[in-house]
């Protein structure tokens, strides 16, 4: 059955503007009105179907609007642009990933020694990137903006915090960027898909890098 248009469109009322940031830190999602939440879910379900059928490289705002039987402007108002839509599709898995190292059980979550948490964090992140590689690549911002999205800033902050807790010394912020270079979806794609390197080798490389940086 073809879905009817959302109530706010039928009444000619503008939807909320695009959510910024699309992926805030875990647990900081601003609440939506019930009708807005339903409309957002409907749009994301339509987008997910299109990704499953055609792949993320073929996902467009126009295609989502058609699949959800709404105006194209509704999709733009809700998600801002195609990158915002792709990031919103990743929202659920991203939150589970964030919560696993922010509040989850040790050794990934709080309670384990900082070096042990660094080791576990890199392995968990590589597996997260591998599982959602296609969507993450499609949602990658342009080069000059790729360090701005909240999820990337959270990773850098978490790495720097653990380095300080481990009393590594040096510039923790710059060291965090160095470590984060290993946890990059474009690099993971190149190494696993183009070079044929197994994920297990990348995980072992991460553990070696942490050992060298922390001198353990």
């Amino acid at each position: 059955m073809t879905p009817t248009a959302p109530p706010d469109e039928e009444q000619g009322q503008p939807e909320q503007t695009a959510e910024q940031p699309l992926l805030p830190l875990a647990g900081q999602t601003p609440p939506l009105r019930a009708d807005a939440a339903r409309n957002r879910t409907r749009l994301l379900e339509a987008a997910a179907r299109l990704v499953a059928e055609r792949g993320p490289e073929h996902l467009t705002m126009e295609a989502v609007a058609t699949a959800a039987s709404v105006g194209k402007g509704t999709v733009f108002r809700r998600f801002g642009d195609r990158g915002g839509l792709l990031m919103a599709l990743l929202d659920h898995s991203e939150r589970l990933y964030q919560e696993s190292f922010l509040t989850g059980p040790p050794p990934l979550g709080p309670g384990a020694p900082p070096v042990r948490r660094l080791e576990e964090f890199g392995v968990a992140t590589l597996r997260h990137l591998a599982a959602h590689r296609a969507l993450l690549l499609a949602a990658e911002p342009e080069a000059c903006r790729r360090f701005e999205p909240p999820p990337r800033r959270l990773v850098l902050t978490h790495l720097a915090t653990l380095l300080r807790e481990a009393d590594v010394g040096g510039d923790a912020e710059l060291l965090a960027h160095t470590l984060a270079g290993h946890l990059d979806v474009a690099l993971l794609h190149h190494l696993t898909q183009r070079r044929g390197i197994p994920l297990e080798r990348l995980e072992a490389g991460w553990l070696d890098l942490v050992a060298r940086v922390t001198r353990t």
Side-chain angles (χ1 to χ4, degrees), residues 11-150:
Q11 298 170 10
Q13 298 174 0
E15 251 191 298
Q16 293 181 356
T17 55
E19 300 151 15
Q20 295 294 335
L22 284 160
L23 280 177
L25 305 189
Q28 293 186 355
T29 309
L32 295 175
R33 300 189 319 268
D35 60 336
R38 285 193 300 271
N39 293 340
R40 183 179 188 276
T41 298
R42 197 159 134 256
L43 291 171
L44 289 175
E45 287 174 349
R49 287 195 303 272
L50 291 171
V51 168
E53 294 167 2
R54 309 176 191 176
E57 64 274 14
H58 298 295
L59 186 69
T60 65
M61 307 294 266
E62 292 82 358
V64 172
T66 300
S69 300
V70 300
K72 183 170 66 174
T74 297
V75 187
F76 277 99
R77 284 192 296 274
R78 173 55 57 199
F79 302 109
D81 56 19
R82 181 174 178 274
L85 173 61
L86 288 166
M87 294 301 284
L89 275 174
L90 285 164
D91 185 79
H92 178 66
S93 61
E94 182 69 27
R95 290 186 187 285
L96 292 177
Y97 160 68
Q98 290 179 3
E99 289 167 1
S100 70
F101 63 83
L102 288 176
T103 60
L108 181 57
V115 174
R116 183 79 175 94
R117 293 189 67 195
L118 274 171
E119 294 172 342
E120 291 294 322
F121 176 72
V123 172
T125 299
L126 287 168
R127 293 176 183 176
H128 172 72
L129 297 179
H132 305 285
R133 175 176 53 86
L135 267 178
L136 285 166
L137 284 172
E140 272 279 280
E142 59 189 38
C144 62
R145 295 180 53 243
R146 67 193 313 246
F147 298 101
E148 296 177 6

Side-chain angles (χ1 to χ4, degrees), residues 159-160 163-164 168-179 213 215:
L159 287 171
L163 287 168
R164 292 187 184 100
V168 169
D171 191 321
E173 182 177 359
L174 293 182
L175 283 173
H177 277 278
T178 299
L179 289 174
V213 170
R215 301 180 181 86

Side-chain angles (χ1 to χ4, degrees), residues 133 137 185-197:
R133 175 176 53 86
L137 284 172
V185 68
L187 177 63
L188 178 139
H189 173 76
H190 171 72
L191 294 176
T192 59
Q193 305 302 307
R194 303 294 173 84
R195 295 288 307 280
I197 295 176

